Amino acid sequence: MVALTSYSEDGTPRSTSTISLQVVHAELFEPHKPYEYCTPISRNIFRGDDDDMMPFIPYADDPTFDHVDHTLCYDSFAWQDDDYDPDLEVISLEAAYRLRTVHSLLYQDTDSTGVLPFKLFSTPGKPGLFTLSRRRDLLKWNGTTIPCPYSFPSSLPSHGILQHRLELTHALFCPNLNCIEPLCPVHVETNPVSPPRKQTIRLSELLKRVEHPCDAGCFLQSRSVEVLPRWSEDDIDSFKSILDIEPDMIPCDHAELCFKPCHEILHYRRLLYPDFDELQTECPNGERKGKSRSLEFQVSNAVLDTFHRNEPCHHSGPCDVLSDCLCFKNKAHCQRNCRCPGKCARRWKGCRCAKARDGMSCVKVKRCSCLKARRECDPELCVKCGCRTCGNSQIQQGHFKKLEVKESRWGAGVFILEPAKQGELIVEYVGELIYEMTFDSRGEVAEHLGRSYVFGLNNTLSLDSSRAGNMSRFINHSGSSDVSSETQCNCRAFARLVNGEHRIGIFAIMNIDAGTEILIDYGPVFFPDQKKNAEAS
């Protein structure tokens, strides 16, 4: 029973009533066993290196962890570098404004001297003070002389310049074939604008293709220009950008893109490029004449073991030492998203395996060129094998099995909820892509905990799922010496080059029934102490 009393406005009690409540006696729940939380992700995230500023000291109260030695991995502590002061920003803006209006000093000159604590204009990857001032409300104080409607100059290029707009839009999208989204968090390669194309058709030949006038201002009707047109600099720059993208276009089509009369287009084309009537002596798009030294580029096993991915090459001419090709330096094949000529001898040709009825083509064929090169089949190059249903394209197709994380004899483990055949993909091992220095600093904490979630991806990057990952991080270890059917490893991790990106897949090495725990062999590198004891004995 609960007594409820109501009061009047002056605070005196007015009435009292009782309410009966139903009491439920619940059973005590057992506390959940401790576990490590990580951010769930479905794709790898590029991290590179952790910040040089240490956000906190891990296990500072644990005497068994040498936190003093661990701090040597960082340059400073995050709480000691307080570089954000909103008052200092307002004072810096006021100083820059007075130098400009009172002393006629340009903002660019003030920024170049470095006299202010902040950069006024933005630099790649770091916004400047002018950009930051647009993201906040400026503090009002008695000493300011900046008028309310005043706007500081932008560090971004003018929106009227077509080339700058193309570069900004182009940089938003990831050039990797595994992505279809802008602002990709996985890949770090830039997406540069293609180099200017060279004209392959004479201007006189292009003009002969125009049979009917396109508009009242077509060059067919205006053979002679009485009044010379005057274009702005932005109009001329936009026309140059369009010519760099597609030079083999008739003036009528260029007029549609530039919103200019056709005869003006022809006038400025002849004015800006007076030698367009003569073709370049070089081959289209910079291809040099002559046969390649090798009909097909081959990769040795030694190169495969030390391969690290590079950005897609983008240059004119063949991929050799003269073009400074990244693929040539890396001794790697050119990918489908490389910008080199289509007949480049270094381009990957794909496999020629026959399509299998069970959908496991290329996996059962030991001569598959893609499988030998430790890469998945390309859906546009490997046509005969039926790449979209091929057994060697399971990672890019996302053919994962249904899994469940629950209690195992070794703690939390991963159990399969549906049967799997030998060679089928179970799950992709995902995490953060980190460099060697971050691997070393995180390794000290992982060694102290006795748990590591790092896979060596190649000689440049490692894959760490300690902070971000999926259910694959709970897969337990089983050595190759285990003979019990319940503790024998039934899967294996394979690194595959998927459209130019290294990814790790967990594949079944035998037929697995539903309800079985997924087990893999971590390898001798994961247990250095056991390796040392074995060598000593």
Side-chain angles (χ1 to χ4, degrees), residues 357-375:
R357 294 182 178 179
D358 58 356
M360 297 300 290
S361 55
C362 297
V363 175
K364 298 181 179 179
V365 180
K366 297 181 180 180
R367 295 177 296 176
C368 176
S369 57
C370 294
L371 205 59
K372 286 183 178 180
R374 305 173 190 175
R375 59 192 304 156

Side-chain angles (χ1 to χ4, degrees), residues 442-471:
R442 293 187 181 187
E444 295 182 359
V445 179
E447 184 179 357
H448 175 72
L449 291 175
R451 291 184 296 275
S452 177
Y453 301 93
V454 180
F455 260 105
L457 197 59
N458 49 50
N459 64 337
T460 304
L461 294 171
S462 297
L463 194 58
D464 184 16
S465 65
S466 59
R467 301 181 181 181
N470 58 3
M471 288 189 291

Side-chain angles (χ1 to χ4, degrees), residues 241-487:
S241 301
I242 295 176
L243 285 176
D244 290 340
I245 298 174
E246 184 50 71
D248 296 331
M249 185 181 290
I250 61 177
C252 302
D253 294 338
H254 278 150
E256 294 288 339
L257 296 176
C258 297
F259 299 100
K260 296 290 183 180
C262 181
H263 70 275
E264 294 186 8
I265 292 290
L266 183 59
H267 170 75
Y268 271 97
R269 181 165 182 173
R270 286 171 172 167
L271 181 64
L272 296 173
Y273 302 98
D275 57 342
F276 261 27
D277 284 337
E278 297 296 330
L279 283 177
Q280 303 289 341
T281 56
E282 298 180 6
C283 293
N285 299 327
E287 297 183 24
R288 292 192 284 269
K289 293 182 179 180
K291 294 183 179 180
S292 175
R293 293 184 179 180
S294 59
L295 296 179
E296 185 175 357
F297 171 68
Q298 301 290 340
V299 179
S300 62
N301 291 330
V303 173
L304 287 173
D305 294 334
T306 59
F307 171 81
H308 61 279
R309 71 172 186 175
N310 54 265
E311 298 180 6
C313 62
H314 51 281
H315 55 80
S316 299
C319 298
D320 52 21
V321 65
L322 299 178
S323 59
D324 197 27
C325 174
L326 296 176
C327 300
F328 177 83
K329 293 180 178 180
N330 194 22
K331 299 180 181 180
H333 281 285
C334 289
Q335 306 300 321
R336 185 155 44 94
N337 52 341
C338 287
R339 305 294 179 83
C340 56
K343 296 182 179 180
C344 175
R346 303 186 71 90
R347 282 191 175 270
W348 180 251
K349 304 297 189 300
C351 69
R352 298 295 182 268
C353 302
K355 187 176 182 179
R357 294 182 178 179
D358 58 356
M360 297 300 290
S361 55
C362 297
V363 175
K364 298 181 179 179
V365 180
K366 297 181 180 180
R367 295 177 296 176
C368 176
S369 57
C370 294
L371 205 59
K372 286 183 178 180
R374 305 173 190 175
R375 59 192 304 156
E376 285 201 346
C377 293
D378 191 296
E380 292 189 6
L381 300 178
C382 307
V383 181
K384 292 185 177 181
C385 68
C387 175
R388 301 189 183 280
T389 58
C390 170
N392 192 35
S393 62
Q394 299 181 72
I395 297 180
Q396 58 184 304
Q397 297 296 332
H399 295 163
F400 308 137
K401 298 296 182 181
K402 295 180 180 179
L403 303 176
E404 179 186 12
V405 177
K406 62 181 182 179
E407 191 68 21
S408 169
R409 65 178 65 190
W410 298 286
V414 178
F415 293 80
I416 190 170
L417 300 180
E418 57 180 318
K421 297 181 180 179
Q422 181 180 355
E424 289 185 339
L425 176 66
I426 304 300
V427 67
E428 180 185 2
Y429 194 89
V430 298
E432 292 180 297
L433 298 169
I434 59 175
Y435 289 133
E436 189 69 21
M437 294 182 61
T438 300
F439 169 76
D440 294 337
S441 61
R442 293 187 181 187
E444 295 182 359
V445 179
E447 184 179 357
H448 175 72
L449 291 175
R451 291 184 296 275
S452 177
Y453 301 93
V454 180
F455 260 105
L457 197 59
N458 49 50
N459 64 337
T460 304
L461 294 171
S462 297
L463 194 58
D464 184 16
S465 65
S466 59
R467 301 181 181 181
N470 58 3
M471 288 189 291
S472 62
R473 70 193 297 271
F474 295 102
I475 296 179
N476 288 316
H477 162 77
S478 177
S480 57
S481 59
D482 294 332
V483 296
S484 174
S485 59
E486 296 182 357
T487 60

